[in-house]
Amino acid sequence: IYVVWDEIDSGGAQIERVAHSDDAVNWTIVPVEPEPKAADIGGNLAIGPDGTVYAIWNRLGDPETTAFARSIDGGNTWSAATDVVSHNLQSFGSNNFIPAQDTRGINAFGAIAADRDPDSPHLGNLYLVYTDLASNAAADDTDIFFVRSADGGNSWSSPARVNDDRTARSQFFPWIDVDQSSGNIAVSWYDARNDRRNRRTQISSAFSADGGSSFQPNLQVTQPSAQFANSAIAYSDENSADNL
């Protein structure tokens, strides 16, 4: 069992720590990067088919980056951290207050997954998704980006956009997982494409059956439901003007 979190250490640095246990009673805790290059936050883990533990987190700064490290000994020691991608979106900067989250803001934190299906042609691949602004994007046109590695994180593909809308509206807070019976990749995120004011969000998803080389057309997951107080509603709205 592996758990990752960030905390302020005794010297005032914000670092990522990983705890591991084989009985959920006794835990060993180690820093992923004992001497961080920047404030670290937003950690996430994936386990490879050979038991290698992969960690990502965000290094705050200008630019903000997604960092990566791996452990081949069950989380006791970690490789030197490397940067996978740099971000135009600043998680705690001035450009992260999109209309759908105009008070709380959004972040560029990533999610990572590994293909552990022994029958998959992409066995061992690593997949990472995150929110960002393209360099020429409008201020609120955040998108979901995807990168992959076929060599244990030594190299990564160029970022590819997952959301297929042609709007300048916001997509954010992605997650990724791999179907370990097929190797298929599933990505989901919050999506404001259907609201002209860019405030109301729904959940969208996309699937890849070829190891992330391409994604099928996006699907809208959320639908009107009796589980909502108003069964005609199929969206969430955190905009402060709409919730006075």
Side-chain angles (χ1 to χ4, degrees), residues 4-6 16 40-46 54-60 64-68 84-87 89-92 106-114 126-132 143-147 156 162 171-177 186-189:
V4 62
W5 70 94
D6 46 82
E16 297 299 300
D40 294 341
I41 194 170
N44 191 223
L45 299 174
Y54 301 100
I56 61 167
W57 65 93
N58 275 38
R59 286 172 165 167
L60 301 184
E64 181 174 335
T65 64
T66 295
F68 168 87
V84 178
V85 292
S86 60
H87 302 287
L89 177 68
Q90 298 294 298
S91 296
F92 299 95
I106 62 171
N107 56 58
F109 300 170
I112 187 172
L126 300 176
Y127 307 114
L128 191 160
V129 291
Y130 58 95
T131 307
D132 208 355
D143 292 308
I144 307 304
F145 290 93
F146 168 91
V147 295
W156 296 84
V162 180
Q171 286 78 33
F172 57 100
F173 293 162
W175 201 254
I176 188 169
D177 211 341
V187 181
S188 64
W189 62 90

Short mmCIF file of all heavy atoms in Angstrom, two decimals, residues 4-6 16 40-46 54-60 64-68 84-87 89-92 106-114 126-132 143-147 156 162 171-177 186-189:
data_model
loop_
_atom_site.label_atom_id
_atom_site.label_comp_id
_atom_site.label_asym_id
_atom_site.label_seq_id
_atom_site.Cartn_x
_atom_site.Cartn_y
_atom_site.Cartn_z
N VAL A 4 0.70 9.07 -0.83
CA VAL A 4 1.55 10.25 -1.05
C VAL A 4 0.82 11.49 -0.55
O VAL A 4 -0.41 11.58 -0.63
CB VAL A 4 1.91 10.40 -2.55
CG1 VAL A 4 0.67 10.61 -3.41
CG2 VAL A 4 2.91 11.53 -2.76
N TRP A 5 1.56 12.43 0.00
CA TRP A 5 1.00 13.71 0.42
C TRP A 5 2.11 14.75 0.46
O TRP A 5 3.30 14.42 0.36
CB TRP A 5 0.32 13.59 1.79
CG TRP A 5 1.26 13.40 2.96
CD1 TRP A 5 1.79 14.36 3.78
CD2 TRP A 5 1.79 12.15 3.43
NE1 TRP A 5 2.60 13.79 4.73
CE2 TRP A 5 2.62 12.44 4.55
CE3 TRP A 5 1.66 10.82 3.04
CZ2 TRP A 5 3.31 11.44 5.25
CZ3 TRP A 5 2.34 9.84 3.73
CH2 TRP A 5 3.15 10.16 4.82
N ASP A 6 1.73 16.01 0.59
CA ASP A 6 2.73 17.07 0.73
C ASP A 6 2.61 17.70 2.12
O ASP A 6 1.53 17.74 2.70
CB ASP A 6 2.60 18.13 -0.37
CG ASP A 6 1.17 18.57 -0.61
OD1 ASP A 6 0.68 19.44 0.14
OD2 ASP A 6 0.54 18.04 -1.53
N GLU A 16 7.13 16.39 -0.88
CA GLU A 16 6.27 15.22 -1.04
C GLU A 16 6.82 14.07 -0.20
O GLU A 16 8.02 13.79 -0.23
CB GLU A 16 6.20 14.79 -2.50
CG GLU A 16 5.59 15.83 -3.43
CD GLU A 16 4.17 16.17 -3.06
OE1 GLU A 16 3.32 15.25 -3.07
OE2 GLU A 16 3.90 17.35 -2.78
N ASP A 40 6.75 21.80 -3.43
CA ASP A 40 6.13 20.64 -4.05
C ASP A 40 4.71 20.45 -3.54
O ASP A 40 4.45 20.61 -2.35
CB ASP A 40 6.93 19.37 -3.75
CG ASP A 40 8.32 19.38 -4.39
OD1 ASP A 40 8.52 20.17 -5.34
OD2 ASP A 40 9.19 18.61 -3.95
N ILE A 41 3.79 20.06 -4.44
CA ILE A 41 2.39 19.92 -4.07
C ILE A 41 1.69 19.03 -5.09
O ILE A 41 2.15 18.89 -6.23
CB ILE A 41 1.70 21.30 -3.98
CG1 ILE A 41 0.36 21.21 -3.28
CG2 ILE A 41 1.58 21.95 -5.35
CD1 ILE A 41 -0.25 22.57 -2.95
N GLY A 42 0.58 18.42 -4.68
CA GLY A 42 -0.28 17.72 -5.64
C GLY A 42 0.25 16.38 -6.09
O GLY A 42 0.17 16.05 -7.28
N GLY A 43 0.76 15.55 -5.17
CA GLY A 43 1.34 14.28 -5.56
C GLY A 43 0.30 13.24 -5.98
O GLY A 43 -0.85 13.26 -5.55
N ASN A 44 0.73 12.32 -6.83
CA ASN A 44 -0.10 11.20 -7.26
C ASN A 44 0.83 10.03 -7.60
O ASN A 44 1.98 10.25 -7.99
CB ASN A 44 -0.93 11.59 -8.48
CG ASN A 44 -2.02 10.57 -8.81
OD1 ASN A 44 -2.22 10.24 -9.98
ND2 ASN A 44 -2.71 10.07 -7.81
N LEU A 45 0.33 8.80 -7.44
CA LEU A 45 1.14 7.60 -7.60
C LEU A 45 0.52 6.63 -8.59
O LEU A 45 -0.69 6.59 -8.77
CB LEU A 45 1.30 6.88 -6.26
CG LEU A 45 1.97 7.62 -5.11
CD1 LEU A 45 1.90 6.77 -3.85
CD2 LEU A 45 3.42 7.93 -5.45
N ALA A 46 1.38 5.82 -9.19
CA ALA A 46 0.95 4.67 -10.00
C ALA A 46 1.94 3.55 -9.76
O ALA A 46 3.12 3.79 -9.48
CB ALA A 46 0.88 5.03 -11.48
N TYR A 54 5.71 4.83 -9.24
CA TYR A 54 5.94 6.07 -9.98
C TYR A 54 5.20 7.21 -9.28
O TYR A 54 4.03 7.06 -8.92
CB TYR A 54 5.43 5.94 -11.41
CG TYR A 54 6.09 4.82 -12.19
CD1 TYR A 54 5.46 3.59 -12.36
CD2 TYR A 54 7.35 5.01 -12.75
CE1 TYR A 54 6.07 2.57 -13.07
CE2 TYR A 54 7.97 3.99 -13.47
CZ TYR A 54 7.33 2.77 -13.62
OH TYR A 54 7.94 1.76 -14.32
N ALA A 55 5.88 8.32 -9.10
CA ALA A 55 5.29 9.48 -8.43
C ALA A 55 5.37 10.69 -9.34
O ALA A 55 6.36 10.89 -10.05
CB ALA A 55 6.02 9.77 -7.12
N ILE A 56 4.31 11.48 -9.33
CA ILE A 56 4.34 12.80 -9.95
C ILE A 56 3.88 13.83 -8.93
O ILE A 56 3.20 13.49 -7.97
CB ILE A 56 3.45 12.89 -11.21
CG1 ILE A 56 1.98 12.61 -10.86
CG2 ILE A 56 3.97 11.99 -12.31
CD1 ILE A 56 1.01 12.99 -11.97
N TRP A 57 4.26 15.07 -9.14
CA TRP A 57 3.79 16.18 -8.31
C TRP A 57 4.10 17.46 -9.06
O TRP A 57 4.78 17.45 -10.09
CB TRP A 57 4.46 16.16 -6.93
CG TRP A 57 5.94 16.40 -6.96
CD1 TRP A 57 6.62 17.59 -6.83
CD2 TRP A 57 6.96 15.40 -7.15
NE1 TRP A 57 7.97 17.39 -6.92
CE2 TRP A 57 8.21 16.07 -7.11
CE3 TRP A 57 6.95 14.01 -7.35
CZ2 TRP A 57 9.43 15.39 -7.27
CZ3 TRP A 57 8.16 13.36 -7.50
CH2 TRP A 57 9.37 14.03 -7.46
N ASN A 58 3.58 18.57 -8.57
CA ASN A 58 3.84 19.86 -9.19
C ASN A 58 4.88 20.63 -8.41
O ASN A 58 4.83 20.70 -7.17
CB ASN A 58 2.56 20.68 -9.32
CG ASN A 58 1.79 20.32 -10.57
OD1 ASN A 58 1.72 19.16 -10.95
ND2 ASN A 58 1.20 21.32 -11.22
N ARG A 59 5.82 21.19 -9.15
CA ARG A 59 6.80 22.12 -8.58
C ARG A 59 6.32 23.53 -8.88
O ARG A 59 6.23 23.94 -10.04
CB ARG A 59 8.18 21.92 -9.21
CG ARG A 59 8.92 20.68 -8.76
CD ARG A 59 10.17 20.50 -9.60
NE ARG A 59 11.10 19.55 -9.02
CZ ARG A 59 12.13 19.04 -9.66
NH1 ARG A 59 12.35 19.37 -10.93
NH2 ARG A 59 12.94 18.19 -9.06
N LEU A 60 5.99 24.27 -7.83
CA LEU A 60 5.51 25.63 -8.04
C LEU A 60 6.68 26.53 -8.42
O LEU A 60 7.79 26.35 -7.94
CB LEU A 60 4.83 26.15 -6.78
CG LEU A 60 3.63 25.32 -6.30
CD1 LEU A 60 2.98 25.98 -5.08
CD2 LEU A 60 2.60 25.12 -7.41
N GLU A 64 5.73 26.74 -13.61
CA GLU A 64 5.35 25.58 -12.81
C GLU A 64 5.55 24.33 -13.66
O GLU A 64 5.32 24.35 -14.87
CB GLU A 64 3.90 25.71 -12.39
CG GLU A 64 3.37 24.59 -11.53
CD GLU A 64 1.96 24.86 -11.03
OE1 GLU A 64 1.58 26.04 -10.94
OE2 GLU A 64 1.24 23.88 -10.76
N THR A 65 5.99 23.24 -13.04
CA THR A 65 6.23 22.01 -13.79
C THR A 65 5.61 20.81 -13.10
O THR A 65 5.31 20.86 -11.90
CB THR A 65 7.74 21.74 -13.94
OG1 THR A 65 8.32 21.52 -12.65
CG2 THR A 65 8.45 22.90 -14.63
N THR A 66 5.41 19.73 -13.86
CA THR A 66 5.08 18.44 -13.30
C THR A 66 6.37 17.64 -13.19
O THR A 66 7.06 17.42 -14.20
CB THR A 66 4.08 17.66 -14.17
OG1 THR A 66 2.83 18.36 -14.17
CG2 THR A 66 3.85 16.26 -13.62
N ALA A 67 6.71 17.23 -11.97
CA ALA A 67 7.93 16.47 -11.73
C ALA A 67 7.60 14.98 -11.62
O ALA A 67 6.47 14.60 -11.32
CB ALA A 67 8.61 16.96 -10.46
N PHE A 68 8.64 14.15 -11.80
CA PHE A 68 8.47 12.70 -11.85
C PHE A 68 9.65 12.02 -11.19
O PHE A 68 10.80 12.45 -11.34
CB PHE A 68 8.37 12.25 -13.31
CG PHE A 68 8.46 10.76 -13.52
CD1 PHE A 68 7.33 9.97 -13.45
CD2 PHE A 68 9.69 10.17 -13.79
CE1 PHE A 68 7.41 8.59 -13.66
CE2 PHE A 68 9.78 8.80 -14.00
CZ PHE A 68 8.64 8.01 -13.93
N VAL A 84 8.58 16.61 -16.29
CA VAL A 84 7.91 16.03 -17.45
C VAL A 84 7.41 17.11 -18.39
O VAL A 84 7.67 17.09 -19.59
CB VAL A 84 6.74 15.13 -17.01
CG1 VAL A 84 6.02 14.55 -18.23
CG2 VAL A 84 7.23 14.00 -16.11
N VAL A 85 6.67 18.07 -17.85
CA VAL A 85 6.10 19.16 -18.65
C VAL A 85 6.14 20.43 -17.82
O VAL A 85 6.18 20.40 -16.59
CB VAL A 85 4.64 18.88 -19.08
CG1 VAL A 85 4.57 17.75 -20.09
CG2 VAL A 85 3.76 18.58 -17.88
N SER A 86 6.14 21.56 -18.50
CA SER A 86 5.98 22.86 -17.84
C SER A 86 4.61 23.41 -18.20
O SER A 86 4.03 23.07 -19.23
CB SER A 86 7.08 23.84 -18.26
OG SER A 86 7.05 24.06 -19.66
N HIS A 87 4.10 24.29 -17.33
CA HIS A 87 2.72 24.75 -17.45
C HIS A 87 2.63 26.26 -17.67
O HIS A 87 3.39 27.03 -17.07
CB HIS A 87 1.94 24.40 -16.18
CG HIS A 87 1.94 22.94 -15.86
ND1 HIS A 87 1.20 22.02 -16.57
CD2 HIS A 87 2.60 22.22 -14.92
CE1 HIS A 87 1.40 20.82 -16.09
NE2 HIS A 87 2.25 20.91 -15.07
N LEU A 89 -0.52 27.47 -17.11
CA LEU A 89 -1.44 27.68 -16.00
C LEU A 89 -0.66 27.62 -14.69
O LEU A 89 0.11 26.69 -14.46
CB LEU A 89 -2.52 26.60 -16.01
CG LEU A 89 -3.54 26.63 -14.86
CD1 LEU A 89 -4.43 27.85 -14.97
CD2 LEU A 89 -4.36 25.35 -14.84
N GLN A 90 -0.86 28.61 -13.84
CA GLN A 90 -0.22 28.65 -12.54
C GLN A 90 -1.24 28.29 -11.46
O GLN A 90 -2.24 28.99 -11.29
CB GLN A 90 0.36 30.04 -12.27
CG GLN A 90 1.43 30.45 -13.27
CD GLN A 90 2.67 29.58 -13.17
OE1 GLN A 90 3.35 29.54 -12.14
NE2 GLN A 90 3.00 28.88 -14.25
N SER A 91 -0.98 27.20 -10.74
CA SER A 91 -1.97 26.68 -9.80
C SER A 91 -2.36 27.69 -8.73
O SER A 91 -3.49 27.68 -8.25
CB SER A 91 -1.44 25.40 -9.15
OG SER A 91 -1.26 24.38 -10.10
N PHE A 92 -1.42 28.53 -8.32
CA PHE A 92 -1.72 29.53 -7.31
C PHE A 92 -1.28 30.91 -7.80
O PHE A 92 -0.79 31.73 -7.05
CB PHE A 92 -1.02 29.17 -5.99
CG PHE A 92 -1.47 27.84 -5.43
CD1 PHE A 92 -0.76 26.69 -5.70
CD2 PHE A 92 -2.64 27.75 -4.68
CE1 PHE A 92 -1.18 25.46 -5.21
CE2 PHE A 92 -3.07 26.54 -4.19
CZ PHE A 92 -2.34 25.38 -4.45
N ILE A 106 -8.51 26.93 -9.97
CA ILE A 106 -8.19 25.56 -10.37
C ILE A 106 -6.68 25.39 -10.31
O ILE A 106 -5.94 26.33 -10.05
CB ILE A 106 -8.72 25.23 -11.78
CG1 ILE A 106 -8.06 26.15 -12.83
CG2 ILE A 106 -10.23 25.36 -11.83
CD1 ILE A 106 -8.39 25.73 -14.26
N ASN A 107 -6.22 24.17 -10.56
CA ASN A 107 -4.79 23.92 -10.53
C ASN A 107 -4.36 23.10 -11.75
O ASN A 107 -5.19 22.60 -12.51
CB ASN A 107 -4.40 23.20 -9.24
CG ASN A 107 -5.18 21.91 -9.05
OD1 ASN A 107 -5.14 21.03 -9.88
ND2 ASN A 107 -5.88 21.81 -7.92
N ALA A 108 -3.05 22.98 -11.91
CA ALA A 108 -2.47 22.22 -13.02
C ALA A 108 -2.01 20.84 -12.58
O ALA A 108 -1.22 20.20 -13.26
CB ALA A 108 -1.30 23.00 -13.61
N PHE A 109 -2.51 20.36 -11.43
CA PHE A 109 -2.06 19.09 -10.89
C PHE A 109 -2.39 17.95 -11.86
O PHE A 109 -3.43 17.94 -12.50
CB PHE A 109 -2.71 18.79 -9.55
CG PHE A 109 -2.42 19.80 -8.48
CD1 PHE A 109 -3.11 19.77 -7.28
CD2 PHE A 109 -1.47 20.81 -8.65
CE1 PHE A 109 -2.87 20.70 -6.27
CE2 PHE A 109 -1.22 21.74 -7.67
CZ PHE A 109 -1.92 21.69 -6.48
N GLY A 110 -1.52 16.95 -11.90
CA GLY A 110 -1.70 15.83 -12.81
C GLY A 110 -2.21 14.58 -12.13
O GLY A 110 -2.26 14.47 -10.90
N ALA A 111 -2.58 13.60 -12.95
CA ALA A 111 -2.93 12.26 -12.50
C ALA A 111 -2.17 11.28 -13.38
O ALA A 111 -2.04 11.49 -14.60
CB ALA A 111 -4.43 12.01 -12.59
N ILE A 112 -1.66 10.20 -12.78
CA ILE A 112 -0.84 9.24 -13.52
C ILE A 112 -1.43 7.85 -13.38
O ILE A 112 -2.04 7.51 -12.36
CB ILE A 112 0.63 9.27 -13.00
CG1 ILE A 112 1.54 8.40 -13.88
CG2 ILE A 112 0.72 8.86 -11.54
CD1 ILE A 112 3.02 8.54 -13.55
N ALA A 113 -1.28 7.04 -14.42
CA ALA A 113 -1.75 5.66 -14.40
C ALA A 113 -0.77 4.80 -15.18
O ALA A 113 -0.03 5.29 -16.05
CB ALA A 113 -3.15 5.56 -15.01
N ALA A 114 -0.76 3.50 -14.87
CA ALA A 114 0.13 2.55 -15.54
C ALA A 114 -0.68 1.39 -16.08
O ALA A 114 -1.67 0.97 -15.48
CB ALA A 114 1.19 2.05 -14.56
N LEU A 126 3.18 4.30 -19.15
CA LEU A 126 2.73 5.27 -18.17
C LEU A 126 1.96 6.36 -18.89
O LEU A 126 2.35 6.81 -19.98
CB LEU A 126 3.92 5.90 -17.43
CG LEU A 126 4.82 4.95 -16.66
CD1 LEU A 126 6.00 5.72 -16.07
CD2 LEU A 126 4.05 4.22 -15.57
N TYR A 127 0.87 6.82 -18.25
CA TYR A 127 0.02 7.85 -18.84
C TYR A 127 -0.22 8.95 -17.82
O TYR A 127 -0.48 8.67 -16.65
CB TYR A 127 -1.31 7.24 -19.28
CG TYR A 127 -1.16 6.04 -20.18
CD1 TYR A 127 -1.55 4.77 -19.75
CD2 TYR A 127 -0.64 6.17 -21.46
CE1 TYR A 127 -1.43 3.66 -20.57
CE2 TYR A 127 -0.50 5.07 -22.29
CZ TYR A 127 -0.90 3.82 -21.85
OH TYR A 127 -0.76 2.73 -22.66
N LEU A 128 -0.17 10.19 -18.27
CA LEU A 128 -0.31 11.34 -17.38
C LEU A 128 -1.23 12.36 -18.02
O LEU A 128 -1.10 12.66 -19.22
CB LEU A 128 1.08 11.95 -17.12
CG LEU A 128 1.28 12.99 -16.04
CD1 LEU A 128 2.76 13.05 -15.67
CD2 LEU A 128 0.84 14.37 -16.47
N VAL A 129 -2.19 12.89 -17.24
CA VAL A 129 -3.07 13.97 -17.71
C VAL A 129 -2.99 15.14 -16.76
O VAL A 129 -2.71 14.98 -15.57
CB VAL A 129 -4.54 13.50 -17.85
CG1 VAL A 129 -4.70 12.52 -18.99
CG2 VAL A 129 -5.05 12.90 -16.55
N TYR A 130 -3.24 16.33 -17.28
CA TYR A 130 -3.18 17.54 -16.47
C TYR A 130 -3.95 18.65 -17.17
O TYR A 130 -4.27 18.56 -18.37
CB TYR A 130 -1.74 17.98 -16.24
CG TYR A 130 -0.96 18.24 -17.51
CD1 TYR A 130 -0.84 19.52 -18.04
CD2 TYR A 130 -0.33 17.20 -18.20
CE1 TYR A 130 -0.13 19.76 -19.21
CE2 TYR A 130 0.38 17.42 -19.36
CZ TYR A 130 0.47 18.71 -19.87
OH TYR A 130 1.15 18.94 -21.03
N THR A 131 -4.26 19.70 -16.44
CA THR A 131 -4.93 20.88 -16.98
C THR A 131 -3.89 21.93 -17.34
O THR A 131 -2.92 22.14 -16.61
CB THR A 131 -5.89 21.49 -15.94
OG1 THR A 131 -6.77 20.48 -15.47
CG2 THR A 131 -6.70 22.63 -16.54
N ASP A 132 -4.11 22.61 -18.46
CA ASP A 132 -3.19 23.69 -18.81
C ASP A 132 -3.85 24.64 -19.81
O ASP A 132 -4.93 24.35 -20.34
CB ASP A 132 -1.89 23.14 -19.42
CG ASP A 132 -0.69 24.05 -19.18
OD1 ASP A 132 -0.88 25.17 -18.64
OD2 ASP A 132 0.43 23.65 -19.53
N ASP A 143 -7.56 23.44 -21.03
CA ASP A 143 -7.79 22.17 -21.70
C ASP A 143 -7.16 21.03 -20.91
O ASP A 143 -6.36 21.25 -19.99
CB ASP A 143 -7.20 22.19 -23.12
CG ASP A 143 -7.93 23.14 -24.05
OD1 ASP A 143 -9.17 23.04 -24.14
OD2 ASP A 143 -7.27 23.97 -24.69
N ILE A 144 -7.49 19.81 -21.31
CA ILE A 144 -6.92 18.61 -20.71
C ILE A 144 -5.85 18.07 -21.65
O ILE A 144 -6.13 17.80 -22.83
CB ILE A 144 -8.00 17.54 -20.47
CG1 ILE A 144 -9.17 18.12 -19.67
CG2 ILE A 144 -7.40 16.33 -19.77
CD1 ILE A 144 -8.78 18.76 -18.35
N PHE A 145 -4.64 17.89 -21.13
CA PHE A 145 -3.53 17.41 -21.93
C PHE A 145 -3.05 16.05 -21.43
O PHE A 145 -3.16 15.73 -20.25
CB PHE A 145 -2.38 18.43 -21.92
CG PHE A 145 -2.70 19.69 -22.67
CD1 PHE A 145 -3.23 20.79 -22.01
CD2 PHE A 145 -2.49 19.77 -24.04
CE1 PHE A 145 -3.53 21.96 -22.70
CE2 PHE A 145 -2.79 20.93 -24.74
CZ PHE A 145 -3.31 22.02 -24.06
N PHE A 146 -2.49 15.29 -22.37
CA PHE A 146 -2.10 13.90 -22.12
C PHE A 146 -0.68 13.68 -22.64
O PHE A 146 -0.34 14.12 -23.74
CB PHE A 146 -3.08 12.98 -22.87
CG PHE A 146 -2.66 11.54 -22.97
CD1 PHE A 146 -3.03 10.62 -21.99
CD2 PHE A 146 -1.91 11.09 -24.06
CE1 PHE A 146 -2.67 9.28 -22.10
CE2 PHE A 146 -1.54 9.76 -24.17
CZ PHE A 146 -1.92 8.85 -23.18
N VAL A 147 0.14 13.02 -21.83
CA VAL A 147 1.45 12.56 -22.28
C VAL A 147 1.63 11.12 -21.85
O VAL A 147 0.98 10.65 -20.91
CB VAL A 147 2.61 13.42 -21.72
CG1 VAL A 147 2.55 14.84 -22.26
CG2 VAL A 147 2.61 13.42 -20.20
N TRP A 156 9.10 11.17 -22.59
CA TRP A 156 7.65 11.36 -22.66
C TRP A 156 7.27 11.92 -24.02
O TRP A 156 8.04 12.64 -24.65
CB TRP A 156 7.18 12.31 -21.55
CG TRP A 156 7.41 11.77 -20.17
CD1 TRP A 156 8.56 11.84 -19.44
CD2 TRP A 156 6.46 11.06 -19.37
NE1 TRP A 156 8.38 11.22 -18.23
CE2 TRP A 156 7.11 10.73 -18.15
CE3 TRP A 156 5.13 10.68 -19.55
CZ2 TRP A 156 6.46 10.04 -17.12
CZ3 TRP A 156 4.49 9.99 -18.52
CH2 TRP A 156 5.15 9.68 -17.33
N VAL A 162 -6.88 16.28 -25.05
CA VAL A 162 -7.86 15.21 -24.99
C VAL A 162 -9.26 15.71 -25.32
O VAL A 162 -10.03 15.04 -26.02
CB VAL A 162 -7.86 14.54 -23.60
CG1 VAL A 162 -8.89 13.42 -23.53
CG2 VAL A 162 -6.48 13.99 -23.27
N GLN A 171 -12.01 23.36 -19.47
CA GLN A 171 -11.96 21.97 -19.03
C GLN A 171 -10.89 21.89 -17.94
O GLN A 171 -9.82 22.50 -18.08
CB GLN A 171 -11.60 21.03 -20.18
CG GLN A 171 -12.72 20.80 -21.19
CD GLN A 171 -12.91 21.92 -22.18
OE1 GLN A 171 -11.96 22.59 -22.56
NE2 GLN A 171 -14.15 22.15 -22.60
N PHE A 172 -11.16 21.15 -16.87
CA PHE A 172 -10.23 21.16 -15.74
C PHE A 172 -10.46 19.96 -14.84
O PHE A 172 -11.43 19.21 -15.00
CB PHE A 172 -10.35 22.47 -14.95
CG PHE A 172 -11.73 22.76 -14.41
CD1 PHE A 172 -12.05 22.50 -13.09
CD2 PHE A 172 -12.71 23.31 -15.23
CE1 PHE A 172 -13.32 22.77 -12.58
CE2 PHE A 172 -13.98 23.60 -14.74
CZ PHE A 172 -14.29 23.32 -13.41
N PHE A 173 -9.56 19.77 -13.87
CA PHE A 173 -9.61 18.69 -12.87
C PHE A 173 -9.74 17.30 -13.53
O PHE A 173 -10.72 16.58 -13.31
CB PHE A 173 -10.76 18.89 -11.88
CG PHE A 173 -10.59 20.08 -10.97
CD1 PHE A 173 -11.68 20.60 -10.29
CD2 PHE A 173 -9.36 20.67 -10.77
CE1 PHE A 173 -11.54 21.69 -9.43
CE2 PHE A 173 -9.20 21.76 -9.93
CZ PHE A 173 -10.30 22.27 -9.26
N PRO A 174 -8.75 16.87 -14.31
CA PRO A 174 -8.85 15.57 -14.97
C PRO A 174 -8.44 14.42 -14.05
O PRO A 174 -7.76 14.60 -13.04
CB PRO A 174 -7.84 15.70 -16.11
CG PRO A 174 -6.77 16.58 -15.52
CD PRO A 174 -7.51 17.58 -14.66
N TRP A 175 -8.86 13.24 -14.43
CA TRP A 175 -8.40 11.99 -13.81
C TRP A 175 -8.22 10.95 -14.89
O TRP A 175 -8.82 11.04 -15.97
CB TRP A 175 -9.40 11.50 -12.76
CG TRP A 175 -8.74 10.56 -11.78
CD1 TRP A 175 -8.88 9.20 -11.71
CD2 TRP A 175 -7.82 10.92 -10.75
NE1 TRP A 175 -8.09 8.70 -10.69
CE2 TRP A 175 -7.43 9.74 -10.09
CE3 TRP A 175 -7.28 12.15 -10.33
CZ2 TRP A 175 -6.53 9.74 -9.04
CZ3 TRP A 175 -6.40 12.15 -9.28
CH2 TRP A 175 -6.03 10.95 -8.64
N ILE A 176 -7.37 9.96 -14.63
CA ILE A 176 -7.07 8.93 -15.63
C ILE A 176 -6.98 7.58 -14.95
O ILE A 176 -6.55 7.48 -13.79
CB ILE A 176 -5.76 9.26 -16.38
CG1 ILE A 176 -5.54 8.30 -17.55
CG2 ILE A 176 -4.56 9.23 -15.43
CD1 ILE A 176 -4.43 8.73 -18.49
N ASP A 177 -7.39 6.54 -15.67
CA ASP A 177 -7.22 5.17 -15.19
C ASP A 177 -7.10 4.25 -16.40
O ASP A 177 -7.45 4.63 -17.52
CB ASP A 177 -8.38 4.75 -14.29
CG ASP A 177 -7.94 3.75 -13.23
OD1 ASP A 177 -6.86 3.13 -13.40
OD2 ASP A 177 -8.66 3.59 -12.24
N ALA A 186 -9.00 5.46 -19.83
CA ALA A 186 -10.17 6.31 -19.63
C ALA A 186 -9.74 7.59 -18.93
O ALA A 186 -9.00 7.55 -17.94
CB ALA A 186 -11.22 5.60 -18.78
N VAL A 187 -10.18 8.72 -19.46
CA VAL A 187 -9.90 10.04 -18.88
C VAL A 187 -11.23 10.74 -18.64
O VAL A 187 -12.14 10.66 -19.48
CB VAL A 187 -9.02 10.90 -19.82
CG1 VAL A 187 -8.72 12.25 -19.19
CG2 VAL A 187 -7.73 10.16 -20.18
N SER A 188 -11.36 11.41 -17.51
CA SER A 188 -12.56 12.19 -17.22
C SER A 188 -12.16 13.56 -16.70
O SER A 188 -11.04 13.74 -16.20
CB SER A 188 -13.47 11.48 -16.22
OG SER A 188 -12.82 11.35 -14.97
N TRP A 189 -13.06 14.53 -16.78
CA TRP A 189 -12.75 15.89 -16.34
C TRP A 189 -14.05 16.71 -16.23
O TRP A 189 -15.09 16.33 -16.74
CB TRP A 189 -11.80 16.57 -17.32
CG TRP A 189 -12.36 16.75 -18.71
CD1 TRP A 189 -13.06 17.81 -19.19
CD2 TRP A 189 -12.27 15.80 -19.79
NE1 TRP A 189 -13.41 17.60 -20.50
CE2 TRP A 189 -12.93 16.38 -20.90
CE3 TRP A 189 -11.69 14.54 -19.94
CZ2 TRP A 189 -13.03 15.72 -22.13
CZ3 TRP A 189 -11.80 13.89 -21.16
CH2 TRP A 189 -12.45 14.49 -22.23
#
